[in-house]
Amino acid sequence: MASLAAIFGSGAMTNSIREIEDMEVIFIIGSNTKETHPVIANRMIKAFRKGAKIIVADPRRVPMTRFADTVLNLKPGTDIALISAIAHVIIKEGLFDKTFIDEKTEGFEEMKKSVEQCTPEYAEKITGVSREAIIRAARVYGGSRKAGIFYTMGITQHTCGTENVNAAANLAILTGNIGRESTGVNPLRGQNNVQGASDAGCLSNLYPGYQKVDSPDVRAKFEKAWGVTLSHKQGLTTTEMIPAALAGKIKALYIMGENPVITDPNAHHTVEALKKLDFMVVQDIFMTETAALADVVLPSTCFAEKDGTFSNTERRVQRVRKAVEPPGEARSDLSIIMEISHRLGYTLDYKSPEDVLLEFGKVWPNIAGITYRRIEKEGIQWPCPDTNHPGTPYLYKNGFPKGKVRFSCVPYTNPAEEADKEYPFVLTTGRNLYQYHSGSMTRRVPQIEAHAGQAYVEISPKDSEKLNIINGDSLAISSRRGSIRLKARVTSSVLEGTIFIPMHYHEAAANIITNDALDATCKIPEFKVCAVKIEK
Amino acid sequence: MPKLTINGKTVDAPEGATVLEAARMAEIDIPTLCHHPKLTPFGGCRLCIVEIKGIPRPVTSCTTPVSEGMEVTTSSPQIEDLRKTVLELILSDHPNDCMVCERAGDCTLQEMAYTYGIRENKFAGERRVYEKKDGNPFIERDLEKCIMCGRCVKVCREVQGVEAIDFGYRGFKAKICTAYEKDLNCEFCGQCVSVCPTGALTGKMWSLKGRKKDVREVDTTCAYCGTGCNITLHVKGNEVVRVTSREDTLNEGWLCVKGRFGYKFINSPDRLTKPLIRRDGRFEEVSWEEAFDCIANKLTEIKAAFGADAIGGLSSARCTNEENYAFQKMIRAAVGTNNVDHCARL
């Protein structure tokens, strides 16, 4: 998100879900859309049925490949080489949009130079994708002016996550596939309100509305709005707070509705860090693995028990409505926060959730025009600066906030950890269709548990033959950080040398073994590549 | 734009529209069972028949494209008679168990039977009997209630791209089958359930939890992935008993297995119901007052001893915008640090 914001101006999906159906080309990279965003996949299938060509780049043969014109099964962590080679072909074959480049971009020559060496032949060696497929993808994507790029954590959860996004954005800039309907660079957000939590300023370097905490002017604005002196220091991200807790620099954590024991990399390390805290509060709807380590646990409400808004992946602010009463003494998160803030000496006085949204709109003009009344029937997409504004389905219609967009030069870097003699397989992690994130919700749905309640590791038929493994065998998968035991699932959806484990299962938590190496800019961990060994 | 008349009313229809679409745009009702506006036309149920001047026999309006000057009649004694016969034929092989059917009150077939006043059936006779139950945990498939409209087959193919089911066998033995008639093993999106016009396809977990008339419907936004599907919670008492989605929404009424069938965590017996404080390694139930005091005192103490930057807050992508805004404001303004983040990276 940070990298997307740095390039274009906003860290969000540039276009809308509805526009997908009129795209000519859909380039999916690092997104298992059919399982993680099934209803967006429905739109893509609709486009497919109207004649759209779909390109899928993924280390696994994900279900969307069934609808693909071109499948690029690359080795995990080699995205930059693949994308740069596609850029190389687009430039070489003159498929770029010269007018767009001349008028709206800068740094084309440098970028051109940076991908000059990255021929399809060179990329084939690194990525394992055939040069023909790379050339075909370049021609399909570069040949369209109604082409959209879609990605998720498959390209961001790497030590080079920022660079991966930069490389993908280069393709859109190169072909002018941005700033118009049915185009764009579209990160699909994995959680219901991850867009909203980011918008609302739950980020250590940004106030609400992506306004920098280290800018004196911005700070002054928020100090005035909130009537309080604010810290001028950038804070720590989740992935930095955990090591800081281990180092004794963070003494207390207040965790609302998160389960880092399951969702953070290198889980043993996370547990050790949380145990070291002097004080931990967890506010949640279930006794999660993280809550079990807390000093105080507060029962809160789920989405069906409160009023408010969520912002979806396409920047649409939508209503959440109370349908049932919370169980027992559980209280809404907002009322808990207000009470604690008050006791800490700063009074938050909101009569209703809408009051909060209205205040949010005062400090961030992009949502100033959104009221509950206006989104009664249908949500509105920000930017929506005033109450007569209809919202913005796609961004940059009238140019970019910075005037021109800059191409990025993206050198290829190897993943932080590669397969070697001792750990000869590459593990990549993700979700499956049935379970969700740490599983605290879906694993309590008996029907889902009945169908998809068991942890498993996907292994290719070739590797399983080599290691004499059959479906259902119990395997120990180990990395330098830990080991888990789970059942083998032999499937050709993973490539030889790669294995896949879904992240949801606490009894065999993939994040016990994942690498906590971080991307330098975004501090995102490299969940998608780590070296492991397989034992029976 | 072709101009045609329907029941004497002049209608401008878009190029390529069917007679049924043109009629519905002009707010002229034609009964249908197999037609679904988001699926390709089928012409299977024969209820949508109309008379078109110049064509000797009635035609199905759902599969007939409009043309310039067409004169359409949607209702006549002969047409209504034919429709009634079609319905009687369907009902002759349909269990008469509306009293216990999950879809009673929300069933197109039941509505039609009511509209056409069908009490006795001149075609009463042999019935299809299917005793085998599908063992999947999500979707109840009661093939005896199936009217072979084919909507489920189409939605599975055209919208979901899965093709888990299709027509099998011929004539009286025809039915909707999975490959080799095994238990359903698909993506369990339940799109088929949402388009089924009868009680043939329902959610297994809906059983005996309350029918349409028993529930209160609340429109809200799904709490799983970032797509933000618009969902409708069906509430009975204090329990969410079903999730559906309206067709005129962002997600066009389509959902996934989590959104449609993954709601039982809401009323899970595992829910936390009381504040807890750890004492001597064990959690004890306490009052809110006590919990608030403990948190405020501890955070104040730690802030005094080590500074505000020794405290961090993790907010939640599961919570609302309002809660997230308030949370970061509490951490920044009340605690005094920018150590606030959420799980965007995880």
Side-chain angles (χ1 to χ4, degrees):
Chain A
M1 286 311 126
S3 41
L4 209 55
I7 302 165
F8 297 121
S10 277
M13 206 168 145
T14 60
N15 289 59
S16 309
I17 295 168
R18 281 202 178 97
E19 293 168 39
I20 293 172
E21 66 180 81
D22 293 317
M23 288 180 183
E24 294 169 355
V25 174
I26 295 169
F27 186 177
I28 305 167
I29 178 159
S31 159
N32 180 6
T33 321
K34 194 95 176 77
E35 295 195 73
T36 60
H37 296 84
V39 177
I40 290 180
N42 288 353
R43 282 280 176 176
M44 292 175 170
I45 292 169
K46 200 171 178 187
F48 168 79
R49 291 179 59 82
K50 286 163 92 173
K53 286 188 172 152
I54 296 178
I55 304 168
V56 178
D58 202 287
R60 301 162 63 209
R61 291 189 188 89
V62 291
M64 271 318 276
T65 57
R66 292 208 305 273
F67 308 93
D69 170 89
T70 311
V71 178
L72 311 166
N73 283 133
L74 73 170
K75 288 182 192 152
T78 63
D79 306 77
I80 293 173
L82 179 73
I83 302 168
S84 296
I86 293 174
H88 174 99
V89 177
I90 289 175
I91 294 170
K92 196 174 141 200
E93 302 199 352
L95 298 168
F96 54 88
D97 184 338
K98 192 163 182 313
T99 325
F100 182 86
I101 293 174
D102 289 345
E103 286 172 8
K104 296 195 174 159
T105 74
E106 50 194 21
F108 174 62
E109 288 305 323
E110 290 101 298
M111 194 280 290
K112 185 176 167 188
K113 232 174 135 192
S114 76
V115 298
E116 216 158 68
Q117 304 299 318
C118 197
T119 61
E121 292 74 19
Y122 166 81
E124 180 181 286
K125 281 191 208 118
I126 296 179
T127 62
V129 178
S130 77
R131 64 194 77 174
E132 292 81 13
I134 294 173
I135 293 169
R136 185 179 174 90
R139 287 178 184 160
V140 169
Y141 180 79
S144 171
R145 294 295 174 261
K146 274 178 111 178
I149 296 173
F150 295 84
Y151 66 88
T152 62
M153 298 303 196
I155 66 167
T156 58
Q157 283 177 343
H158 291 277
T159 45
C160 57
T162 304
E163 288 78 10
N164 283 343
V165 174
N166 289 345
N170 274 348
L171 293 183
I173 307 170
L174 198 53
T175 54
N177 274 315
I178 186 140
R180 285 179 295 111
E181 209 167 351
S182 295
T183 63
V185 183
N186 300 296
L188 304 177
R189 315 289 320 239
Q191 292 164 50
N192 59 328
N193 201 31
V194 71
Q195 186 68 49
S198 305
D199 295 350
C202 289
L203 294 167
S204 57
N205 58 339
L206 299 167
Y207 290 121
Y210 306 95
Q211 305 176 67
K212 292 198 166 95
V213 298
D214 54 4
S215 151
D217 290 349
V218 170
R219 194 168 67 247
K221 169 182 160 181
F222 278 91
E223 286 183 340
K224 189 162 171 243
W226 294 348
V228 66
T229 311
L230 295 167
S231 167
H232 61 278
K233 262 175 67 185
Q234 271 203 19
L236 301 177
T237 66
T238 307
T239 44
E240 291 170 324
M241 281 187 229
I242 299 296
L246 201 58
K249 286 184 190 139
I250 290 276
K251 301 282 184 194
L253 273 181
Y254 192 122
I255 301 178
M256 171 171 84
E258 296 270 279
N259 192 5
V261 170
I262 300 295
T263 61
D264 284 26
N266 198 349
H268 289 325
H269 181 237
T270 307
V271 170
E272 201 186 328
L274 297 180
K275 281 187 173 161
K276 225 179 148 194
L277 291 169
D278 289 352
F279 188 61
M280 173 158 79
V281 183
V282 172
Q283 180 174 319
D284 210 307
I285 60 172
F286 291 114
M287 182 58 79
T288 62
E289 293 73 15
T290 305
L293 303 173
D295 297 290
V296 181
V297 177
L298 303 177
S300 64
T301 44
C302 78
F303 80 111
E305 292 149 3
K306 59 196 174 192
D307 284 299
T309 56
F310 289 155
S311 298
N312 78 347
T313 187
E314 51 165 10
R315 299 168 276 106
R316 190 184 297 278
V317 181
Q318 308 195 97
R319 272 305 308 272
V320 175
R321 291 186 182 84
K322 182 171 173 172
V324 289
E325 291 300 327
E329 294 176 22
R331 285 178 62 158
S332 89
D333 296 86
L334 185 60
S335 76
I336 300 172
I337 294 164
M338 281 166 54
E339 186 62 40
I340 290 177
S341 194
H342 177 70
R343 286 175 192 238
L344 292 175
Y346 183 83
T347 300
L348 295 173
D349 187 19
Y350 301 114
K351 300 276 175 289
S352 71
E354 190 178 12
D355 272 0
V356 186
L357 190 75
L358 296 177
E359 180 186 311
F360 185 7
K362 282 192 192 128
V363 294
W364 190 37
N366 272 352
I367 59 156
I370 299 177
T371 62
Y372 280 14
R373 226 182 104 163
R374 287 196 72 199
I375 56 172
E376 182 63 30
K377 275 292 287 176
E378 188 177 39
I380 294 177
Q381 288 170 283
W382 63 253
C384 175
D386 61 71
T387 48
N388 295 315
H389 193 287
T392 310
Y394 62 93
L395 302 175
Y396 317 124
K397 187 178 182 177
N398 304 313
F400 301 97
K402 294 176 182 168
K404 289 191 167 190
V405 275
R406 194 163 184 89
F407 282 102
S408 318
C409 294
V410 191
Y412 174 70
T413 49
N414 291 322
E417 192 175 76
E418 289 182 281
D420 54 27
K421 251 194 146 140
E422 198 186 345
Y423 296 96
F425 288 90
V426 173
L427 164 71
T428 184
T429 64
R431 294 184 182 169
N432 65 26
L433 170 64
Y434 303 95
Q435 300 285 1
Y436 177 72
H437 215 223
S438 84
S440 63
M441 288 149 69
T442 46
R443 298 210 69 194
R444 287 182 173 86
V445 179
Q447 292 78 7
I448 288 181
E449 273 301 274
H451 187 70
Q454 226 182 28
Y456 58 90
V457 49
E458 289 185 357
I459 178 166
S460 76
K462 273 196 178 160
D463 288 328
S464 66
E465 206 171 295
K466 255 189 269 174
L467 299 171
N468 199 17
I469 290 166
I470 56 163
N471 247 340
D473 276 359
S474 165
L475 303 179
I477 310 290
S478 320
S479 74
R480 290 181 175 84
R481 292 155 295 277
S483 181
I484 56 175
R485 187 162 272 284
L486 65 187
K487 292 254 191 289
R489 186 179 282 186
V490 180
T491 165
S492 53
S493 68
V494 286
L495 304 181
E496 200 181 345
T498 306
I499 62 169
F500 169 80
I501 301 178
M503 66 180 286
H504 319 289
Y505 302 91
H506 61 83
E507 64 277 22
N511 284 328
I512 288 175
I513 49 185
T514 51
N515 195 353
D516 47 357
L518 301 182
D519 172 278
T521 314
C522 289
K523 317 293 182 196
I524 194 166
E526 188 148 66
F527 287 117
K528 300 303 185 202
V529 192
C530 81
V532 293
K533 63 181 172 191
I534 303 174
E535 290 155 314
K536 277 219 207 180
Chain B
M1 287 228 313
K3 234 184 205 24
L4 67 157
T5 63
I6 304 178
N7 300 345
K9 183 177 174 186
T10 307
V11 175
D12 285 315
E15 204 68 55
T18 62
V19 172
L20 177 66
E21 284 163 350
R24 289 200 171 160
M25 271 175 229
E27 294 180 349
I28 296 166
D29 188 45
I30 298 176
T32 58
L33 275 170
C34 73
H35 178 264
H36 190 281
K38 294 198 163 76
L39 304 172
T40 54
F42 179 42
C45 75
R46 321 307 285 179
L47 274 183
C48 72
I49 46 170
V50 294
E51 284 166 0
I52 296 174
K53 199 177 171 189
I55 301 177
R57 283 186 309 240
V59 295
T60 49
S61 60
C62 72
T63 55
T64 308
V66 293
S67 61
E68 186 62 40
M70 206 177 232
E71 289 176 38
V72 180
T73 308
T74 65
S75 183
S76 70
Q78 193 209 350
I79 290 276
E80 296 302 351
D81 219 35
L82 283 169
R83 284 184 184 145
K84 192 170 178 187
T85 304
V86 165
L87 274 171
E88 283 174 326
L89 279 166
I90 293 172
L91 288 167
S92 74
D93 189 19
H94 192 86
N96 256 328
D97 65 353
C98 296
M99 313 77 138
V100 291
C101 182
E102 284 298 320
R103 288 292 297 274
D106 182 29
C107 169
T108 322
L109 185 62
Q110 194 185 37
E111 270 314 292
M112 297 277 168
Y114 173 81
T115 307
Y116 285 87
I118 298 170
R119 292 196 69 88
E120 282 167 19
N121 203 318
K122 57 179 179 249
F123 301 109
E126 197 185 344
R127 285 264 186 87
R128 296 168 300 169
V129 178
Y130 298 119
E131 278 162 4
K132 185 181 170 282
K133 289 276 169 209
D134 197 308
N136 82 78
F138 301 103
I139 298 172
E140 191 71 74
R141 299 174 65 218
D142 187 345
L143 296 182
E144 291 177 14
K145 290 180 186 166
C146 173
I147 58 164
M148 304 291 279
C149 71
R151 281 186 185 190
C152 53
V153 174
K154 278 176 184 292
V155 81
C156 192
R157 177 183 303 148
E158 295 171 10
V159 172
Q160 202 63 17
V162 170
E163 303 183 54
I165 44 173
D166 208 335
F167 290 94
Y169 303 98
R170 291 287 177 117
F172 194 64
K173 287 188 175 151
K175 60 176 170 173
I176 306 298
C177 291
T178 58
Y180 306 105
E181 297 190 53
K182 288 186 173 166
D183 284 349
L184 200 57
N185 186 11
C186 57
E187 295 179 357
F188 295 110
C189 60
Q191 256 59 295
C192 55
V193 177
S194 76
V195 298
C196 181
T198 73
L201 297 173
T202 53
K204 281 196 174 167
M205 58 189 82
W206 305 346
S207 176
L208 305 177
K209 286 286 190 180
R211 297 190 277 199
K212 193 173 171 73
K213 66 167 177 48
D214 308 318
V215 300
R216 192 162 48 86
E217 294 185 4
V218 181
D219 291 334
T220 187
T221 306
C222 181
Y224 285 112
C225 80
T227 307
C229 292
N230 296 184
I231 58 174
T232 303
L233 303 179
H234 297 231
V235 182
K236 193 182 171 197
N238 199 44
E239 191 185 352
V240 175
V241 296
R242 182 162 52 239
V243 174
T244 59
S245 179
R246 301 187 198 279
E247 276 171 35
D248 58 347
T249 52
L250 162 74
N251 45 299
E252 307 192 285
W254 312 131
L255 294 175
C256 74
V257 61
K258 297 185 286 285
R260 196 183 298 280
F261 297 123
Y263 59 84
K264 283 222 163 177
F265 74 91
I266 300 169
N267 298 92
S268 164
D270 287 357
R271 285 287 300 273
L272 293 170
T273 55
K274 282 196 169 237
L276 306 169
I277 291 184
R278 184 186 297 280
R279 285 185 186 129
D280 305 322
R282 297 212 351 237
F283 283 123
E284 277 178 29
E285 290 184 354
V286 297
S287 68
W288 275 102
E289 196 55 32
E290 208 174 331
F292 283 139
D293 273 344
C294 169
I295 294 167
N297 292 341
K298 266 302 216 185
L299 292 181
T300 308
E301 237 170 68
I302 288 169
K303 185 174 162 182
F306 304 100
D309 286 337
I311 299 171
L314 298 184
S315 191
S316 176
R318 236 83 58 212
C319 288
T320 62
N321 289 327
E322 293 76 3
E323 289 157 350
N324 275 290
Y325 179 88
F327 186 86
Q328 61 83 35
K329 194 174 172 188
M330 168 181 82
I331 297 291
R332 291 192 158 113
V335 178
T337 176
N338 284 313
N339 290 338
V340 58
D341 197 15
H342 69 287
C343 60
R345 296 167 187 83
L346 306 171

